[in-house]
């Protein structure tokens, strides 16, 4: 199985949009290819959340959920700006509704590089993240 971890809008200029990631996945010739998407990079890459409707459920096993604050443009936002689910303006509930697979569970994970979280106890951060993830999926 081939898995494409999409970091659009980050260091990659040719995988900035969901459509570009889908192109690579379809051109690789692997029917079991998977893509790993995340809320932050959808915003940073300036893809519309609605474009997730074109991603087949079979291509998603894991989806990173994280949030981002208001007031930072996609061009200026960076990895350390990621925050807990529900603490920002990301349309997380809408996104999860689109990618939800009625046939099998989708694994969601929390990925942040926020220095203020690094300064805290890791177990506290993990428990807070889990609590907030449960709130957005309820």
């Amino acid at each position: 199985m081939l898995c494409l971890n999409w970091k659009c809008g980050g260091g990659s200029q040719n995988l900035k949009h969901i459509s570009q990631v889908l192109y690579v996945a379809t051109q690789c010739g692997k029917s079991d290819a998977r893509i790993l998407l995340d809320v932050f990079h959808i915003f940073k890459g300036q893809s519309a959340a609605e474009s997730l409707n074109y991603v087949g459920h079979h291509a998603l096993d894991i989806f990173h959920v994280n949030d981002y604050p208001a007031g930072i443009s996609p061009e200026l936002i960076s990895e350390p700006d990621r925050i807990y689910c529900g603490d920002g303006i990301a349309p997380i509930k809408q996104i999860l509704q689109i990618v939800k697979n009625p046939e099998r569970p989708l694994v969601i994970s929390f990925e942040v590089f926020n220095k203020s979280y690094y300064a805290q106890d890791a177990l506290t951060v993990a428990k807070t993240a889990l609590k907030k993830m449960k709130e957005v999926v309820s």
Side-chain angles (χ1 to χ4, degrees), residues 16-71:
K16 194 171 184 169
H17 305 287
I18 291 173
S19 61
Q20 293 165 324
V21 173
L22 290 175
Y23 176 79
V24 172
T26 59
Q27 292 300 309
C28 75
K30 302 284 186 183
S31 61
D32 63 348
R34 301 290 186 267
I35 57 177
L36 174 59
L37 303 176
D38 73 59
V39 172
F40 174 83
H41 284 109
I42 291 170
F43 175 71
K44 181 142 181 75
Q46 301 180 50
S47 288
E50 293 76 17
S51 61
L52 288 166
N53 286 302
Y54 297 100
V55 178
H57 290 128
H58 68 282
L60 293 173
D61 287 330
I62 302 171
F63 198 92
H64 288 316
V65 293
N66 39 55
D67 215 328
Y68 45 84

Side-chain angles (χ1 to χ4, degrees), residues 37-43 47-50 52 63-69 81-100 106-112 117 128-138:
L37 303 176
D38 73 59
V39 172
F40 174 83
H41 284 109
I42 291 170
F43 175 71
S47 288
E50 293 76 17
L52 288 166
F63 198 92
H64 288 316
V65 293
N66 39 55
D67 215 328
Y68 45 84
D81 296 315
R82 295 179 187 221
I83 55 178
Y84 292 120
C85 301
D87 285 359
I89 61 164
I92 297 173
K93 287 187 179 210
Q94 175 195 4
I95 287 171
L96 290 176
Q97 198 60 28
I98 294 170
V99 299
K100 182 179 180 179
L106 176 67
V107 175
I108 60 171
S109 65
F110 180 67
E111 180 184 49
V112 290
Y117 297 168
T128 302
L130 180 60
K131 177 182 175 280
K132 290 181 175 278
M133 288 169 64
K134 286 180 176 181
E135 289 171 359
V136 296
V137 297
S138 65

